[in-house]
Amino acid sequence: DGSMMVVSFNITYPLKSDVYIYSVDDELFVKHLTVVHQDEKGRMVRLMASSQNPANPPIIIDLTQDRDFRAIGRVVTVITDLG
């Protein structure tokens, strides 16, 4: 839609629930990530990725199975008025 995102590329571990750019199996996504399960050492095990579009239901990313998950950065802000 012509919007621009400001992304912090030094935040690559979703410590808090926020919007991130991430990849799974070399496919890029921009979604709201929430850690839904951690192991006993505090490592992420499952994430929920949700979209602002209600037509796209949330999905669970199981890091024990989706080995090619990589958080690329956290979206800091979105600039929509470029005119």
Side-chain angles (χ1 to χ4, degrees):
D1 69 359
S3 298
M4 291 179 54
M5 293 182 292
V6 177
V7 178
S8 176
F9 292 104
N10 62 347
I11 303 173
T12 58
Y13 189 88
L15 294 173
K16 66 176 193 166
S17 179
D18 216 335
V19 178
Y20 291 84
I21 297 174
Y22 68 93
S23 66
V24 174
D25 297 329
D26 296 325
E27 189 174 351
L28 285 176
F29 299 91
V30 178
K31 300 234 186 248
H32 191 271
L33 291 179
T34 304
V35 177
V36 293
H37 185 259
Q38 294 179 321
D39 67 11
E40 60 280 350
K41 294 182 180 177
R43 294 178 295 213
M44 296 182 300
V45 176
R46 283 187 205 85
L47 300 169
M48 181 174 61
S50 55
S51 173
Q52 290 183 340
N53 184 344
N56 297 325
I59 60 167
I60 297 296
I61 302 168
D62 187 337
L63 300 178
T64 63
Q65 296 176 7
D66 297 319
R67 292 176 293 277
D68 292 331
F69 171 86
R70 184 170 70 104
I72 296 166
R74 183 175 63 85
V75 177
V76 177
T77 192
V78 177
I79 302 168
T80 57
D81 185 13
L82 298 174

